[in-house]
Amino acid sequence: MTKRILLEPDPILRKKCQPIENVDDELRKLMKDMLETMYKAPGIGLAAIQVGILKRVVVVDISKDDQEKHPLFFVNPEITYRSKETSVYEEGCLSLPGQFAEIERPAECHLKYIDFNGKEKELKADGLLSTCIQHEVDHLNGVLFIDYLSKLKKDMIIKKLIKHKKDIERVIV
Ligand code: GNR
Ligand code: NI
């Protein structure tokens, strides 16, 4: 079942998510629903908070359209290393439709997490995967990519998003 994605501005998106205590079938069902929601959107990552669930759960798949799918499931992800070297990517977010900005982040990061089967894992990431992981872990702490922009740019984007929300809520007769 796909879930509805919350759109900024929404106070829920600013909350801090709680760690998972047990990887059980209910959590696996949530992760499958999140993956379906992410593929449908489409996007390369999704945090549970974006579907209104304040838990430290993330799904990611950066495979290209013409490649085989390669879903990743991260429970309680923790970034254990951030490189001093940085890289810049044009970021988007399913909770900020139509808005994009170049964001500078550590180029490489290491992640400690629990996988789909409840097993502890570690991952070294660079490139788009590294950026995506950092973007998703930010979501778990109530942080959005626009928080890295100047107040002027951020306010402009929020203004557009308020208009966008009003437009999609309006019933066209
Ligand atoms: O689909 C997404 N694309 C993207 C592009 C650059 C950096 C991060 C991302 S994540 C985003 C999906 C999303 O909102 N995840 O929270
Ligand atoms: Ni996002």
Side-chain angles (χ1 to χ4, degrees), residues 61-116:
D61 190 340
I62 60 156
S63 63
K64 305 248 170 66
D65 293 342
D66 57 342
Q67 291 173 342
E68 215 176 301
K69 286 193 169 80
H70 192 285
L72 296 167
F73 302 91
F74 301 133
V75 175
N76 299 344
E78 268 181 64
I79 296 173
T80 55
Y81 167 80
R82 293 171 171 85
S83 65
K84 247 176 94 181
E85 189 202 335
T86 62
S87 63
V88 176
Y89 272 93
E90 169 140 287
E91 296 196 19
C93 181
L94 296 174
S95 296
L96 288 77
Q99 306 306 314
F100 303 90
E102 291 197 331
I103 305 293
E104 184 177 14
R105 298 184 187 267
E108 202 195 326
C109 69
H110 297 177
L111 192 72
K112 199 179 100 180
Y113 64 98
I114 297 167
D115 75 3
F116 191 82

Side-chain angles (χ1 to χ4, degrees), residues 15-151:
K15 297 198 180 279
K16 196 173 156 76
C17 300
Q18 296 305 309
I20 296 292
E21 298 199 348
N22 255 311
V23 179
D24 55 16
D25 286 346
E26 189 190 333
L27 184 68
R28 277 186 279 270
K29 165 81 167 86
L30 169 64
M31 293 193 279
K32 285 182 195 167
D33 285 350
M34 285 170 58
L35 195 71
E36 189 185 338
T37 305
M38 182 190 81
Y39 284 143
K40 187 184 169 209
I44 60 168
L46 187 73
I49 187 174
Q50 293 179 274
V51 292
I53 295 165
L54 298 175
K55 291 181 180 172
R56 304 189 80 81
V57 180
V58 162
V59 297
V60 167
D61 190 340
I62 60 156
S63 63
K64 305 248 170 66
D65 293 342
D66 57 342
Q67 291 173 342
E68 215 176 301
K69 286 193 169 80
H70 192 285
L72 296 167
F73 302 91
F74 301 133
V75 175
N76 299 344
E78 268 181 64
I79 296 173
T80 55
Y81 167 80
R82 293 171 171 85
S83 65
K84 247 176 94 181
E85 189 202 335
T86 62
S87 63
V88 176
Y89 272 93
E90 169 140 287
E91 296 196 19
C93 181
L94 296 174
S95 296
L96 288 77
Q99 306 306 314
F100 303 90
E102 291 197 331
I103 305 293
E104 184 177 14
R105 298 184 187 267
E108 202 195 326
C109 69
H110 297 177
L111 192 72
K112 199 179 100 180
Y113 64 98
I114 297 167
D115 75 3
F116 191 82
N117 297 307
K119 198 168 172 244
E120 265 206 44
K121 291 266 178 74
E122 284 184 273
L123 173 74
K124 295 180 180 180
D126 61 12
L128 181 60
L129 180 61
S130 172
T131 287
C132 185
I133 284 171
Q134 293 173 62
H135 174 117
E136 301 311 333
V137 171
D138 273 353
H139 274 302
L140 304 183
N141 298 317
V143 174
L144 301 173
F145 77 77
I146 51 171
D147 299 344
Y148 298 105
L149 302 175
S150 68
K151 181 170 172 4

